[in-house]
Amino acid sequence: LEEQSAALLGGGTQAMALGFKDLVNLLFMLASSSLLAWGPMTYEGGGPNNVFTYHPFFMGIAFSLLLTLGFWMFNYEDLPGEWIDSRSSRRKVHAILQSLGLLLVVAGFMAVLIAHNIAGAKLLSVSEPPFGFSEGPHWTRMMHVIVGYSTLGLLLVQAALGVLKFRALADGNETSFPFHRTLGKIVYFLGLGNVMTGVWLWEAWSLPLRCVISLALVTSLVFGPRWDGSRGYLNDD
């Protein structure tokens, strides 16, 4: 299939459709992001009128959908449409998706910031209900806070590196800022892991839904990316 895809691309014809594995990954992405958004909006302690609701809502969509799609953009080999089957096109789509994901992450952080301000609670500390976590030991709640701030900081650094790398690529420098790829994997792992932790600490989702979300997120982490860049458009061979 890889040889056939390469032949099609080389001949300038339309690329092959997504493979079965990629379609399953996309289905899991849509399932996890939909459930992550549905939980806070329908939970009796959340809802659209609760400011804190938008923290898990935006963070869930950002990491499970937008940043995941952006992270996978170079790994999909057979996206439909000739226009997207080139490194330059995929870099543009990657940049757009990551930028949108970053905006939602910032919006999610602003939501928790405003919620803390309204309740008179302190940042960098474990909050109590109604907008704090209702389950789990104290150390897991504190871990979610620490990892969350760390991920946000690293994500901002990653975004700055991405802008610099994009400009360098426009000047023809293909080897600039190689750490951008490594840092992206770290941020992606921390972000999805922290989203999963939040799902198990807040009772906006039932146990079956928590299991489904966790399975989908683990699938995103394990089966979606080609971590070593050995296939797809990360492969320099």
Side-chain angles (χ1 to χ4, degrees):
L1 288 177
E2 292 176 4
E3 293 177 0
Q4 186 179 359
S5 176
L8 286 173
L9 291 176
T13 57
Q14 186 177 17
M16 297 169 60
L18 290 174
F20 175 76
K21 171 178 167 292
D22 291 335
L23 288 173
V24 171
N25 285 331
L26 182 59
L27 177 62
F28 272 67
M29 247 189 289
L30 294 174
S32 62
S33 58
S34 298
L35 291 174
L36 285 168
W38 177 82
M41 285 296 177
T42 59
Y43 174 50
E44 62 180 1
N49 295 324
N50 189 328
V51 176
F52 181 75
T53 294
Y54 295 94
H55 172 65
F57 180 84
F58 286 135
M59 292 294 188
I61 295 176
F63 280 103
S64 69
L65 183 62
L66 293 174
L67 295 178
T68 296
L69 281 173
F71 189 66
W72 285 4
M73 190 47 56
F74 289 104
N75 295 303
Y76 283 129
E77 295 181 51
D78 301 320
L79 289 174
E82 184 180 356
W83 66 275
I84 202 171
D85 274 305
S86 67
R87 282 199 172 205
S88 60
S89 296
R90 295 198 185 205
R91 281 171 178 152
K92 292 176 183 177
V93 177
H94 170 80
I96 292 172
L97 289 170
Q98 302 302 77
S99 298
L100 291 174
L102 175 62
L103 289 176
L104 286 192
V105 169
V106 172
F109 173 72
M110 292 303 299
V112 78
L113 188 69
I114 294 172
H116 275 74
N117 184 59
I118 292 175
K122 296 180 180 179
L123 293 173
L124 288 172
S125 61
V126 177
S127 302
E128 299 298 331
F131 69 87
F133 294 125
S134 53
E135 299 183 5
H138 183 274
W139 70 269
T140 57
R141 303 182 189 186
M142 194 67 217
M143 181 183 69
H144 180 81
V145 174
I146 295 173
V147 173
Y149 277 101
S150 300
T151 303
L152 177 61
L154 291 174
L155 183 60
L156 294 175
V157 173
Q158 175 71 349
L161 286 175
V163 172
L164 294 174
K165 186 174 182 65
F166 198 84
R167 294 180 61 182
L169 289 169
D171 295 331
N173 188 351
E174 293 280 341
T175 60
S176 60
F177 304 100
F179 189 66
H180 178 70
R181 183 190 301 181
T182 302
L183 182 58
K185 294 176 181 179
I186 294 173
V187 171
Y188 182 67
F189 180 83
L190 290 175
L192 273 190
N194 214 38
V195 168
M196 195 184 311
T197 302
V199 167
W200 286 94
L201 290 176
W202 203 38
E203 57 183 13
W205 301 269
S206 64
L207 178 59
L209 289 183
R210 288 174 177 177
C211 293
V212 171
I213 293 172
S214 298
L215 176 60
L217 295 181
V218 169
T219 300
S220 295
L221 282 170
V222 177
F223 297 105
R226 284 127 185 180
W227 291 94
D228 60 354
S230 60
R231 298 176 64 191
Y233 281 79
L234 287 178
N235 186 13
D236 295 322
D237 297 334

